Amino acid sequence: MYDENEGVEILETTKLSPIPIAQVTSPDDGKKSKDKQEKKGVFRCEWLTEFNFLKEYKPDKSKATCIACNSQFSVHYGGKTDVVQHSKSKQHKTNMLTFSVDRQLITTTMKPTREKEEVAATEATLVYHGVKHRISYVAQQCTTNVLKILFASSPIAKSLSCAKTKASAITTDVLAPYFTHVVLEEIKNAFYYSLSYDASNKGNLKAYPFCIQYFSNIGVKKVLIDFIDDSSETAIDVYRNARLILDKYELNFDGLTTIGSDNTNVNMGDHHSAFSLFRNEKPNLIKGSCYNHILHNGVKHGHKLLTIDVEKNLLSIYSHFSRSAKRIAELKSYYEFYEEDYVVILKHIKIRWLTLHKSIERLLQVFAPVKDYFLSLDDGCPGELKEFFSCEEGHCVLSFLENILSIIQKSNLKLQRRYLAGVSLHRVITELKLKLQQRLDSSFFGASCRLKLSRLEPNIANKLNHSFARFIQRVIEYIDEYYLLKKKDKYGNIIEPKCITPSEIYEAISPFGLSTINEVTWDHVTKCIELFEIKNLNEDDLFNEFCEIQIVFKSIQDKNISIYDQIQSYIKTTSNSNISTTTATTKLLNKEFEEEQDSNDDDELKESSAIKEIRSDQLWAMLLSIKLTPSPSLHKLICFLFSIPCSNAFVESVFSAMKHLYDDKRNRMSTKLVAAELKIRFNSFLSCTEVYNIFLSKPELLKLIHCNEKYCAKKQRVN
């Protein structure tokens, strides 16, 4: 047999009796063996001079602490040999690459509970950063692994475990519900809100985003409340889904002021539509037609009256070059002849609001080389393009559209501003109609167009002038069909509307959209109360509050500081205590679009940023906040008026962000995960550098991150 301690073979025999240890071992030898065993199994202080990564583990003398690995190991059996073996391990060698003696306090002074919270906050920040910047969960996992290598001496980096499954669980079951809860609390405090939605196909999926507009303590906000997929798109199905969402989030149906959507019959028809079903339940509900769609469709209807189909020619020009490198190379030679830098022909998409003007503007910029290219083609040139570039008529129509569409484009961009509410719609529409009518009355279609018309034959010039006038007139008529409800019967006679027109509604609330309240009178207030039948308003208290708010406004006007600067100071102070918006990101609220929207409005943004515009929603938010006595009745009225939307542009922006998520490279994303990412992106303005401290101050959020509850829903779906 073998002795377990010594490993020496001993022969078994029945003739030999065992010799007691006491008989062969002296007392001194036993004492020395016992002392040696005790010293061998405990930490020795002299090891610290030889191993700089070592530290005594005081709770247990038979263990040692490795600072580089932030772990304990036993020295009970091998003593110094155990230390040497640990130093040769693969993990230790990797950690020693980034280990520095002067960083030892990081691991020794940190409390376990605090460390656990910081790890959870770090993981949440990484996930938030990935969602905001469209980083895939595969890349998210790789980033975590890289951080663990680069900062191996940090206990935070070492403890990160944010791979694909955990990152997606944090997105769907922690961050998205958290930011949705934050905006829901704000909506409930706002008394009134509007609901907007739309539908869009992505492959074989039909998605419905449902958005809310409300008045917060820093102005108008628009948020994404839910995102679902449903193959049914009938009016009853849309109505049912909307009601289920309102009930799901416990939103008071009496606080709903407006239903906003595009102007299709299934959504906004007078008879059987989603809006009519809502109005049957609430008669004083406001129809929130999208005026971005109206302006776009007005141009589309007016385009039919022109002598040349510009849209068709633009599409033909783009398709001619889109898939041929040889044709592009030939076109570049014409650019070189005219000593111009090569710029691509922009694609016009018929359903997009802003592409027609940009496409025409780019074509006019490079018209000479493109014209020479097509006229030089003997074969392979479409007949309509040959005809389009052969005469001056096409160039003249392009110049007219470039001039007129620039006016409509600016109005369209204003309506897409994220903070704009229905109180500003009347001013935008009336200004646009006035500019178009002035050009129509003066027969002015642009200086460039006038010069080109003068070079044409009189009969052709008169024909073009007539078509241009009809184009403008048709755009104005189309706007009036929705804004004034001016519709014609089959004989051409105007049918008088039998209900309150949108123009009456938006004109009544327009004084509240000005950058001053001096022009708001008590008559304007009473007209709004009677028009909208707002309940639970004490008119006597409302009058007193209205008079007091005018005194407050006069007092801030008399200060040496401009009203604009006072508003920005208020927004900055309020944002410091606001979870969904902080100081560094307040500027985002003043822009028309976020990064997921097109950059077609760059010129408009530069123009608006150069002028310090006082936003009416921020002005009212500040006045109601700094007023010493509460104004509950006036607050309710302002919340009602600023909850009315002027377009469905915000919902359309959700589709722009959605197309980056339903991607061939991210083809395993479920609808729930897409919805969660969209909620995070649209319901939070926190920057990635700010969000860490916010998460660290939310213990209930951190608890959800490092517990296993977030995986329960996924396990149920799998089973």
Side-chain angles (χ1 to χ4, degrees), residues 397-435:
V397 174
L398 287 176
S399 298
F400 162 75
L401 286 175
E402 195 274 334
N403 180 267
I404 297 299
L405 291 181
S406 63
I407 305 169
I408 301 175
Q409 186 92 326
K410 289 181 179 179
S411 299
N412 214 331
L413 290 170
K414 289 179 181 178
L415 293 175
Q416 294 181 63
R417 290 176 177 171
R418 187 161 184 170
Y419 60 83
L420 209 67
V423 293
S424 303
L425 179 63
H426 182 73
R427 175 172 49 86
V428 175
I429 294 298
T430 51
E431 286 180 359
L432 173 62
K433 287 177 58 180
L434 178 61
K435 291 178 180 179

Side-chain angles (χ1 to χ4, degrees), residues 369-591:
V370 173
K371 174 184 176 181
D372 289 352
Y373 168 82
F374 280 105
L375 293 180
S376 65
L377 293 178
D378 296 329
D379 299 322
C381 178
E384 65 271 10
L385 291 182
K386 201 84 170 180
E387 182 181 354
F388 177 74
F389 286 107
S390 298
C391 62
E392 289 295 327
E393 188 176 346
H395 199 187
C396 184
V397 174
L398 287 176
S399 298
F400 162 75
L401 286 175
E402 195 274 334
N403 180 267
I404 297 299
L405 291 181
S406 63
I407 305 169
I408 301 175
Q409 186 92 326
K410 289 181 179 179
S411 299
N412 214 331
L413 290 170
K414 289 179 181 178
L415 293 175
Q416 294 181 63
R417 290 176 177 171
R418 187 161 184 170
Y419 60 83
L420 209 67
V423 293
S424 303
L425 179 63
H426 182 73
R427 175 172 49 86
V428 175
I429 294 298
T430 51
E431 286 180 359
L432 173 62
K433 287 177 58 180
L434 178 61
K435 291 178 180 179
L436 293 176
Q437 191 64 46
Q438 287 174 340
R439 280 163 171 73
L440 182 62
D441 296 339
S442 304
S443 297
F444 179 76
F445 309 124
S448 178
C449 181
R450 182 177 61 82
L451 292 175
K452 292 178 177 62
L453 285 171
S454 64
R455 293 195 291 264
L456 297 175
E457 296 180 3
N459 57 338
I460 298 178
N462 291 335
K463 183 179 178 181
L464 287 176
N465 269 315
H466 181 64
S467 67
F468 295 161
R470 291 175 63 200
F471 176 92
I472 297 176
Q473 185 63 42
R474 184 66 187 103
V475 173
I476 296 175
E477 289 176 355
Y478 192 86
I479 295 173
D480 289 342
E481 287 177 12
Y482 285 89
Y483 195 63
L484 302 177
L485 298 183
K486 282 187 176 181
K487 296 183 179 180
K488 297 181 180 179
D489 57 16
K490 60 181 180 179
Y491 303 106
N493 300 320
I494 297 177
I495 303 174
E496 293 296 330
K498 299 179 181 180
C499 59
I500 299 175
T501 64
S503 62
E504 294 174 332
I505 295 175
Y506 293 112
E507 185 177 3
I509 65 178
S510 61
F512 295 88
L514 301 175
S515 58
T516 176
I517 70 168
N518 289 332
E519 299 182 28
V520 181
T521 63
W522 178 247
D523 290 338
H524 294 136
V525 176
T526 53
K527 187 174 182 180
C528 290
I529 296 174
E530 295 172 358
L531 185 63
F532 301 118
E533 301 177 1
I534 304 176
K535 299 179 181 179
N536 301 325
L537 281 183
N538 188 315
E539 195 166 332
D540 293 329
D541 292 341
L542 180 61
F543 180 79
N544 294 331
E545 294 167 5
F546 177 73
C547 295
E548 291 171 358
I549 209 79
Q550 287 184 321
I551 296 173
V552 173
F553 181 74
K554 189 177 184 307
S555 66
I556 67 172
Q557 268 187 322
D558 296 337
K559 292 183 178 180
N560 295 329
I561 307 174
S562 66
I563 297 179
Y564 175 84
D565 292 334
Q566 292 183 60
I567 292 175
Q568 296 308 309
S569 176
Y570 163 76
I571 297 296
K572 181 178 180 180
T573 304
T574 307
S575 299
N576 284 332
S577 57
N578 196 331
I579 296 300
S580 59
T581 309
T582 57
T583 306
T585 55
T586 302
K587 294 181 180 179
L588 292 176
L589 295 175
N590 296 323
K591 293 183 179 181

Side-chain angles (χ1 to χ4, degrees), residues 217 226 240 275 341 382 395 400 413 469 542 715:
N217 59 349
D226 211 340
R240 184 186 68 251
F275 174 75
D341 295 331
H395 199 187
F400 162 75
L413 290 170
L542 180 61
K715 289 180 180 178

Side-chain angles (χ1 to χ4, degrees), residues 63-81:
K63 292 183 180 180
T65 299
C66 176
I67 304 173
C69 300
N70 190 30
S71 63
Q72 290 79 37
F73 61 92
S74 176
V75 295
H76 180 67
Y77 297 104
K80 184 177 178 181
T81 305

